[in-house]
Amino acid sequence: MSMQAAVSASVHSPQSSAAARATELSKVYGEGETRVVALDSVSLEFERGRFTAIMGPSGSGKSTLMHCMAGLDSVSGGSARIGDTELSRLNDRQLTRLRRDSVGFVFQAFNLLPTLSASENITLPMSIAGRRPDPQWLDTVVQTVGLSGRLDHRPAQLSGGQQQRVAVARALASRPEIIFADEPTGNLDSRSGGEILGFLRNSVRELGQTVVMVTHDPTAAAYADRVVFLADGRLVDELFTPTAESVLDRMRRAGTAGRTD
Amino acid sequence: MLRTALRNLIAHKTRLIMTALAVVLGVAFVSGTLVFGDTVTRALRGASADNLKDVAVSVQAESEWESESDAVEDRSTALTGDLAEKVKDVPGVTSVRPTVNGTATLATKDGRPLNADMSWQNLATNYAPDDHDRDSRYPLSTGRAPTGEDELLLERRTAEKAGYELGDTVRFAVNGPALTGRLVGTVETDDPRVTAGGSLVLFDTDTAQRLLLQPDRFDELAVGSAPGTDNRQLAQEVSEVLPEESITATSGAELAKEQADDIVRSTGEMTKVLIAFAGIALFVGIFLIANTFTMLVAQRSRETALLRAVGASRRQVVRAVLIEAGLLGLVASAVGFALGIGIATAMRPLLNMAGAGLPDGSLVISAGTLVWSLVVGVGVTVFAAWLPSRKAAKVAPVEALSTVDQAPPKRSMVFRNSLGGVLTGAGVLVMLLVSTQEGGDDSNLLAAAFGSVLTLIGMIALAPLLSRPLVRLAGALTSRLSGVSGMLARENALRNPRRTAATASALMIGLTLITGMSVVGKSTQAALEDDAVRGMTAEYKVSDADFNGIEPALGAKVDDVPGVTASAPLTSSTLMAEDEFATVTGADPKRLERVTDLKFTSGSLAGVGPGEVALSEEYAEKTGLSQGDTFRAEIGAEDSQKLTVAGVYESTRVVEDVLGTYDDVLPYSEGGKLDSVLVGTAPGTEGLDQDIREALGNSPLLQVQDKEQLTKEEAGPIDLLLNMMYGLLGMTVVIGVLGVVNTLAMSVFERTREIGLLRAIGLDDRGVKQMVRLESVVISLFGAALGVGTGIFLAWSLGSLTGSSLTTYETVLPWARLGLFLLLALAVGVLAAVWPARRAVRLNMLRSLNAE
């Protein structure tokens, strides 16, 4: 019930408070000679009901940022919050719970369990939690991503685009606080990719969902409400209501800025 | 290619650990058996050579039985004191040690019989002092040699066990009544019969002759000669002074060789049995090895394709896999060989602790053992890898270029399923046919063995097909019990039916054998238990442990014991009628009626009288006689006499094939003695056995058994046998369990990304562990269900073969035990998953997600 209340609240009265927030977030791998600073004191807010894209060249730390924000990886310094929850204070079990109940994921590939049907994959987080999915909501989600009629198929019987749609549906089905998408269109052709991005944008516009997407594709980023640019583990720029051209333009500048910084 | 194989082997060492372990254990079983067999053989040979080292020639006399019509039958030989003197006078003979050999059972100091159940191990002989007043066979450890009829010696450990000290009066029995003698010393021996739980008592020569043989007779002469004598020649010369028949002179060397041959033969038998079980264990190992190589080949298909693309031929690819298997086999066999030596070293002290009495001796490790161990280990590994290696050859070079992992094309199971169906069908048909046969003659046994193997192989072939419904069934339970983890576990187990089936088959083989043996064993036991006391209403059966019989006058004393309300002395003899041999029991019908419950199908017990006998159903059928018939019969090989059939009764153990009156049979019985006395007691009286013993003189050989003891005597050895079988099949089960661990570890490894995904979307450590554990449980239960099912079927169809020898046999399912097997399978499943499950939760989530 609380989830539903939260979502409906976010639908009808968009709040300014952030769905997730990084404060001076640092992530360091290795020690001594092999020490690599992946995130260098990044502070950033992801507003509720917004579609945010994180961009940056390879090694800029964009994936690390997402992993830390989503509770998939530990942080070295600073804080990462989802809602009011400080992730660094949670143990592994609590983190697992948080991911299950409050976070949705769409990965670049291998989002689905091959042994389960599409509908079983969609409801998997709820099955893990031992909750019954809300059939009406499920119906809405399935309709939104256009999967009706394919729910009994196994992943192997679905195209790559359809598989990603199942992944999007799964992320939406449990009505999480926030959805993290890691290069969700990386393995798709442009038409399927466009569809997936459309669904993600619609989920924000029509269902009030909060989505954070990591991408290196300006066209994909153009679907977002806001684009943040990372370089060398630092936040270097941001852009609101982007277009592919403006993103590309900023990327060049951000890349330069990152290098001179 | 060798370098590629070696690199692969090293790269995959953790994943090959279970496979190697299976080979190690199988080879250890083989090499342990061979080394132990050789060691025991050499030690026994050494002991026998040691015993014979100062025997130049051994003169041995055959036993003869002198029966003076109504007197006790006595053992005798043709070897007299005079003959011993003659042998001594043969030129070249320097000494003669005449010996008398028999058995005597002791009572402990507090009056209980010592080892009376195995009275053949309770040796008795004469202490034969040489010129220095010593018997070189039995060095004295305390006291002195016995002189006179009331003195005796005991073997040191025997004296300890029985609680006697020097000067004590020792009670013993040779062929019935209790006798006594004073303990004047103790001796040492390493005779395996004594060290393995028997006893040894020694008398002076005259007393030994009187008790064990006849005055002035001997069983054996140990002849000594001067060093350098040709003992073979001497044996020839000695035999010239002996009567030709019934006495033989053999040189000590020849005798040692004969004994050695016997030893080699008997330890060879033991080794064969053990090797057969090692073979089963190795056979089960094949499934594990094949699973591993199938996985390795599948994983490496990209590499293989690359090799093919740069010019490796199909054959080279296959060879690389086989070389890898060979190297693995070689390393594992070498370790297994070493482990086997360890096992063989530990075996003797372990067995001796259990009372086996094996002599000491150094470990014998022959080159043959090493070669066999390596050949078997390498051979099994390479053979098991052969089929998977052929799959490697089928990898097309173009696969190296493909960017996405293609799901391997599903190979049709039609052929395998049809083959399995045909084999299982044929096996079941043969077994059904066997189940209609009676009696265990060779052709039936052969058919049964053939049918069993056929059924088992057929089931192995069918296992993937059966896995679907059976795993679903088990999975239905697991998903109900633990939700999503259970469901995932079920789906994972169903994912690779071949591998699941191979893993389950490895467990199935062990469990089929264990179940089959348990069912047959327990059914036989139930039949024997039923048989042992069927038709008997008496409370006690009194008999002689050494089958010496009981004097009729002694048996009659039972009636004087307070609490005894009825008794029936039973005697017996042989009977020949209508060319059918039989045993006839003699008993007073009126007395018999009070202690038995014979079921007459015609006539009645009351009809049995002088010249009128009753027949068992079985014997009546054999001879075609029925009630009222008159026939001629020879009782006790005497002149034939006319008998009338007074009735026919259901066969039982209490009364033999024919029942006549006590007076009709006693004159023909062995030594005019009773076989046993059945004793009925007043209701509510218990523990009369000791009173009966006392009344009958409390000879250590006297057996007073209640029904429970009688049943146990019959059925007890079955439990021992079953436990031995369980022990021997233990290795097979262990390898089956390793197979489950291996499969689970492979599953976890292959599903790294899935596990990463599951954890990312919120399955906690417990859930992941549970998933792995339940998959393991489902596979184990599947294997156990197949094994128990097949085992029950085979045991049922084999049951009829014992039918004719055991009329009360019917297949009994030991439910508790079968349930225990399934529970153990459950436990195996849980245990086998511990390590793979731990690995699954230790995987780094982010790396797993991005793994290929």
Side-chain angles (χ1 to χ4, degrees):
Chain A
M1 277 312 283
S2 62
M3 289 296 302
Q4 204 169 351
V7 171
S8 49
S10 68
V11 171
H12 298 298
S13 56
Q15 291 174 356
S16 56
S17 73
R21 182 195 315 238
T23 314
E24 305 198 345
L25 184 63
S26 296
K27 177 68 185 176
V28 181
Y29 292 109
E31 267 178 54
E33 299 266 310
T34 56
R35 188 177 142 100
V36 176
V37 180
L39 288 179
D40 188 1
S41 196
V42 174
S43 294
L44 182 65
E45 283 189 3
F46 298 111
E47 289 113 310
R48 226 176 265 284
R50 283 285 190 89
F51 186 176
T52 310
I54 305 175
M55 292 205 72
S58 297
S60 63
K62 58 185 191 299
S63 284
T64 308
L65 176 62
M66 191 209 101
H67 291 156
C68 289
M69 291 308 297
L72 289 170
D73 206 351
S74 60
V75 302
S76 309
S79 94
R81 285 166 183 268
I82 287 179
D84 294 327
T85 314
E86 170 59 54
L87 301 190
S88 60
R89 291 221 189 93
L90 303 183
N91 61 26
D92 188 61
R93 225 186 134 140
Q94 291 164 321
L95 269 179
T96 306
R97 264 224 139 104
L98 175 96
R99 289 199 302 267
R100 188 186 77 192
D101 297 333
S102 311
V103 182
F105 287 101
V106 182
F107 296 106
Q108 177 175 2
F110 205 81
N111 268 298
L112 310 178
L113 288 191
T115 49
L116 301 183
S117 70
S119 72
E120 283 169 330
N121 264 298
I122 293 171
T123 55
L124 188 57
M126 282 159 280
S127 306
I128 291 173
R131 282 199 313 257
R132 292 201 166 278
D134 171 357
Q136 255 179 309
W137 175 252
L138 206 58
D139 212 38
T140 313
V141 168
V142 169
Q143 300 257 328
T144 308
V145 299
L147 273 174
S148 325
R150 297 201 182 274
L151 288 178
D152 291 334
H153 288 41
R154 296 269 167 123
Q157 296 165 302
L158 299 173
S159 70
Q162 286 166 336
Q163 288 186 22
Q164 285 306 75
R165 284 196 243 168
V166 175
V168 171
R170 182 191 62 210
L172 288 171
S174 58
R175 288 189 250 197
E177 297 252 324
I178 187 164
I179 292 176
F180 289 100
D182 190 0
E183 306 267 13
T185 57
N187 274 359
L188 300 180
D189 59 72
S190 58
R191 201 175 68 87
S192 309
E195 277 173 17
I196 294 296
L197 292 164
F199 294 138
L200 285 176
R201 187 172 56 193
N202 287 349
S203 74
V204 174
R205 302 259 162 93
E206 290 160 25
L207 308 173
Q209 190 52 261
T210 307
V211 176
V212 175
M213 170 177 75
V214 170
T215 184
H216 61 263
D217 175 7
T219 320
Y223 281 83
D225 301 320
R226 172 193 178 206
V227 185
V228 295
F229 294 90
L230 256 68
D232 293 340
R234 294 187 181 192
L235 190 65
V236 292
D237 203 353
E238 67 179 322
L239 182 66
F240 290 90
T241 54
T243 62
E245 291 74 32
S246 66
V247 171
L248 204 56
D249 186 43
R250 286 294 177 96
M251 265 173 85
R252 285 193 201 104
R253 287 197 302 168
T256 319
R259 245 167 269 138
T260 52
D261 200 79
Chain B
M1 282 292 126
L2 179 67
R3 194 185 302 164
T4 318
L6 202 61
R7 291 256 166 88
N8 276 330
L9 201 63
I10 293 165
H12 296 296
K13 55 186 182 298
T14 50
R15 254 177 290 157
L16 288 172
I17 225 163
M18 291 298 142
T19 316
L21 205 52
V23 179
V24 165
L25 290 180
V27 170
F29 201 162
V30 172
S31 68
T33 300
L34 293 176
V35 170
F36 182 63
D38 289 349
T39 302
V40 168
T41 305
R42 168 165 323 159
L44 288 176
R45 280 166 81 153
S48 95
D50 220 37
N51 279 338
L52 290 168
K53 71 174 183 291
D54 56 352
V55 178
V57 174
S58 170
V59 177
Q60 292 180 334
E62 274 175 30
S63 292
E64 296 162 358
W65 274 270
E66 289 174 357
S67 174
E68 290 159 32
S69 59
D70 58 337
V72 183
E73 226 176 323
D74 275 330
R75 195 168 72 90
S76 184
T77 67
L79 195 56
T80 60
D82 282 349
L83 275 176
E85 288 302 318
K86 271 193 205 165
V87 168
K88 206 169 189 171
D89 292 340
V90 172
V93 170
T94 56
S95 69
V96 167
R97 182 180 62 213
T99 59
V100 179
N101 303 317
T103 60
T105 296
L106 297 168
T108 59
K109 197 167 183 180
D110 49 10
R112 287 175 293 110
L114 184 71
N115 195 39
D117 298 338
M118 293 188 275
S119 53
W120 66 90
Q121 282 184 321
N122 303 336
L123 309 183
T125 185
N126 61 325
Y127 188 80
D130 56 17
D131 298 341
H132 313 288
D133 283 331
R134 289 272 179 272
D135 186 328
S136 60
R137 291 174 303 166
Y138 302 114
L140 281 168
S141 50
T142 57
R144 56 169 176 82
T147 49
E149 61 175 2
D150 61 345
E151 291 189 352
L152 53 78
L153 295 176
L154 290 179
E155 187 262 336
R156 184 175 53 79
R157 271 167 293 193
T158 306
E160 277 169 21
K161 266 193 292 184
Y164 288 118
E165 284 166 25
L166 291 193
D168 284 349
T169 299
V170 176
R171 281 167 56 81
F172 65 94
V174 173
N175 56 7
L179 305 168
T180 57
R182 197 158 54 84
L183 184 63
V184 297
T186 58
V187 299
E188 299 287 339
T189 185
D190 53 9
D191 189 309
R193 286 170 294 182
V194 178
T195 53
S199 60
L200 171 66
V201 53
L202 300 100
F203 310 98
D204 76 1
T205 300
D206 287 344
T207 311
Q209 285 174 326
R210 188 170 53 75
L211 291 174
L212 308 172
L213 196 58
Q214 295 288 323
D216 197 37
R217 301 291 167 122
F218 297 102
D219 284 301
E220 193 178 348
L221 304 178
V223 176
S225 67
T229 313
D230 178 354
N231 289 331
R232 201 173 282 252
Q233 179 63 30
L234 188 63
Q236 192 61 40
E237 282 159 18
V238 165
S239 63
E240 272 161 26
V241 304
L242 299 169
E244 273 183 25
E245 285 167 27
S246 78
I247 304 181
T248 52
T250 324
S251 74
E254 217 170 308
L255 197 64
K257 189 184 167 298
E258 274 172 31
Q259 287 186 2
D261 287 348
D262 280 349
I263 290 163
V264 169
R265 207 171 303 130
S266 60
T267 51
E269 290 295 320
M270 175 196 77
T271 307
K272 258 188 224 161
V273 170
L274 288 173
I275 287 289
F277 279 95
I280 296 171
L282 279 166
F283 179 64
V284 165
I286 288 178
F287 291 88
L288 199 169
I289 301 164
N291 266 351
T292 303
F293 276 90
T294 306
M295 176 206 68
L296 288 181
V297 165
Q299 256 171 23
R300 262 187 238 148
S301 59
R302 189 88 62 91
E303 279 169 52
T304 309
L306 189 66
L307 280 174
R308 296 271 286 122
V310 299
S313 70
R314 276 172 199 273
R315 189 186 285 188
Q316 278 174 311
V317 168
V318 170
R319 209 183 299 153
V321 176
L322 292 184
I323 290 173
E324 190 180 348
L327 287 172
L328 174 71
L330 194 66
V331 173
S333 304
V335 176
F337 175 72
L339 183 65
I341 293 174
I343 292 174
T345 315
M347 277 283 259
R348 183 167 45 202
L350 278 177
L351 286 177
N352 279 353
M353 221 146 46
L358 298 170
D360 292 339
S362 59
L363 217 53
V364 182
I365 302 161
S366 69
T369 303
L370 176 64
V371 170
W372 268 115
S373 302
L374 296 185
V375 164
V376 163
V378 173
V380 163
T381 317
V382 171
F383 172 74
W386 180 66
L387 268 182
S389 75
R390 289 169 52 85
K391 270 181 220 151
K394 289 187 186 141
V395 175
V398 70
E399 282 179 42
L401 309 171
S402 70
T403 48
V404 278
D405 282 325
Q406 278 173 341
K410 272 199 175 165
R411 283 193 297 134
S412 163
M413 301 272 262
V414 173
F415 174 71
R416 180 171 178 162
N417 290 341
S418 332
L419 185 74
V422 168
L423 288 177
T424 311
V428 167
L429 218 63
V430 171
M431 291 317 281
L432 286 177
L433 212 69
V434 165
S435 75
T436 62
Q437 300 294 306
E438 279 205 357
D441 58 40
D442 283 353
S443 66
N444 282 348
L445 287 179
L446 206 66
F450 179 65
S452 302
V453 170
L454 220 55
T455 311
L456 202 55
I457 293 177
M459 289 299 284
I460 293 169
L462 275 185
L465 184 71
L466 294 171
S467 72
R468 216 147 249 292
L470 285 176
V471 166
R472 275 198 189 288
L473 196 71
L477 200 72
T478 58
S479 359
R480 180 156 308 170
L481 286 179
S482 58
V484 77
S485 296
M487 181 176 71
L488 290 170
R490 180 191 65 202
E491 294 303 323
N492 285 341
L494 283 170
R495 212 145 149 190
N496 190 339
R498 282 167 199 272
R499 187 196 290 167
T500 298
T503 313
S505 296
L507 273 181
M508 173 183 88
I509 294 165
L511 268 163
T512 300
L513 293 171
I514 287 178
T515 304
M517 285 172 182
S518 299
V519 172
V520 170
K522 283 290 164 191
S523 301
T524 308
Q525 196 172 38
L528 286 174
E529 281 174 359
D530 184 30
D531 213 41
V533 293
R534 201 157 60 110
M536 185 176 131
T537 56
E539 288 306 315
Y540 297 103
K541 180 180 174 187
V542 180
S543 58
D544 183 284
D546 217 4
F547 307 104
N548 294 304
I550 295 171
E551 293 291 347
L554 196 64
K557 289 187 182 168
V558 167
D559 289 329
D560 301 335
V561 177
V564 170
T565 54
S567 77
L570 303 183
T571 184
S572 72
S573 183
T574 58
L575 180 144
M576 189 79 174
E578 313 285 330
D579 282 335
E580 291 287 348
F581 181 82
T583 306
V584 53
T585 298
D588 179 347
K590 286 207 179 68
R591 283 175 167 266
L592 196 61
E593 193 171 14
R594 300 185 62 188
V595 291
T596 59
D597 183 21
L598 294 182
K599 305 258 187 310
F600 275 78
T601 52
S602 69
S604 70
L605 186 56
V608 176
E612 305 207 38
V613 298
L615 308 181
S616 75
E617 266 184 327
E618 208 180 321
Y619 192 63
E621 198 179 313
K622 266 197 219 165
T623 53
L625 295 169
S626 58
Q627 197 193 352
D629 287 351
T630 301
F631 63 103
R632 298 201 70 82
E634 291 170 18
I635 301 184
E638 298 281 321
D639 295 338
S640 73
Q641 46 183 291
K642 228 177 182 176
L643 296 172
T644 309
V645 180
V648 176
Y649 53 86
E650 285 178 15
S651 308
T652 103
R653 190 72 72 88
V654 185
V655 177
E656 305 278 355
D657 312 303
V658 181
L659 173 64
T661 63
Y662 180 74
D663 296 326
D664 275 355
V665 179
L666 189 66
Y668 309 103
S669 69
E670 214 177 285
K673 288 192 185 180
L674 306 176
D675 283 358
S676 61
V677 183
L678 297 180
V679 183
T681 59
T685 50
E686 265 172 38
L688 281 186
D689 48 341
Q690 199 52 39
D691 296 352
I692 296 171
R693 291 193 72 90
E694 298 290 346
L696 269 63
N698 200 13
S699 160
L701 281 174
L702 192 72
Q703 267 184 330
V704 182
Q705 293 166 297
D706 60 19
K707 280 186 182 171
E708 200 185 317
Q709 285 164 322
L710 283 169
T711 336
K712 219 166 137 191
E713 185 183 50
E714 291 288 340
I718 302 260
D719 275 329
L720 191 71
L721 202 67
L722 274 182
N723 287 338
M724 272 172 60
M725 292 294 171
Y726 293 156
L728 290 172
L729 286 171
M731 190 69 94
T732 303
V733 174
V734 167
I735 291 179
V737 174
L738 289 184
V740 181
V741 177
N742 193 45
T743 295
L744 265 293
M746 292 194 298
S747 298
V748 167
F749 178 80
E750 286 173 354
R751 293 173 202 153
T752 303
R753 296 177 86 179
E754 280 177 56
I755 292 167
L757 175 70
L758 278 167
R759 289 177 62 194
I761 63 171
L763 190 64
D764 58 10
D765 287 3
R766 262 179 50 198
V768 172
K769 277 187 176 175
Q770 186 76 338
M771 178 180 77
V772 177
R773 196 180 299 133
L774 286 175
E775 182 182 353
S776 173
V777 166
V778 162
I779 293 175
S780 306
L781 279 181
F782 170 52
L786 283 188
V788 170
T790 314
I792 289 176
F793 170 73
L794 294 181
W796 167 80
S797 50
L798 287 170
S800 65
L801 296 186
T802 61
S804 60
S805 54
L806 210 55
T807 48
T808 47
Y809 184 95
E810 54 186 44
T811 301
V812 185
L813 294 184
W815 289 114
R817 203 167 277 220
L818 298 181
L820 188 72
F821 294 159
L822 289 177
L823 264 179
L824 281 178
L826 200 82
V828 160
V830 171
L831 276 180
V834 169
W835 179 63
R838 199 170 295 168
R839 279 182 63 143
V841 295
R842 281 202 188 144
L843 289 172
N844 181 301
M845 197 196 323
L846 287 172
R847 223 174 295 153
S848 309
L849 273 168
N850 298 317
E852 281 213 22

